[in-house]
Amino acid sequence: IEKLENDLRRARVEPFQEERHEGKRKYDQELIEVLQETDSITSEELIRRLGVDQSDPKLMEGIDNQLKQLESYGLIGHTPHGWRWVG
């Protein structure tokens, strides 16, 4: 089950690994929900809550790119205490 969940998460973050991706990208719903339900959350805690395999560089890059894009859209902000939903 864990392997299947990681494979699914890897497929979902794939569009966020490409710099020049054209078309729609679907953000990880669980990522959005965790950000919205907390006052602020560190990257480490976020990864733990999502159950992401930290040894998978593509998966970690995809999550990081989603966070960067959400921040560039003004939906989240990075504070000294971690990520915070502002959108």
Side-chain angles (χ1 to χ4, degrees):
I1 292 173
E2 209 173 288
K3 182 181 178 340
L4 290 173
E5 287 174 347
N6 279 334
D7 289 347
L8 180 59
R9 191 175 301 276
R10 216 175 286 116
R12 286 182 182 154
V13 299
E14 190 174 317
F16 293 94
Q17 295 170 339
E18 303 169 15
E19 286 276 329
R20 300 184 188 274
H21 177 80
E22 292 185 17
K24 293 182 180 182
R25 296 178 178 171
K26 185 173 181 179
Y27 287 86
D28 186 323
Q29 185 63 37
E30 189 177 3
L31 171 69
I32 302 293
E33 289 171 359
V34 169
L35 290 166
Q36 288 178 329
E37 68 188 25
T38 58
D39 288 333
S40 66
I41 188 167
T42 64
S43 295
E44 293 81 17
E45 177 66 13
L46 179 61
I47 295 302
R48 188 188 67 71
R49 296 238 339 239
L50 293 174
V52 172
D53 179 7
Q54 294 182 19
S55 66
D56 186 333
K58 288 188 176 190
L59 192 52
M60 294 298 291
E61 178 185 3
I63 299 283
D64 186 54
N65 288 342
Q66 286 184 73
L67 291 170
K68 287 177 183 175
Q69 286 190 3
L70 289 169
E71 183 177 35
S72 73
Y73 295 146
L75 296 173
I76 63 172
H78 197 266
T79 70
H81 302 289
W83 295 102
R84 182 172 165 260
W85 184 264
V86 295

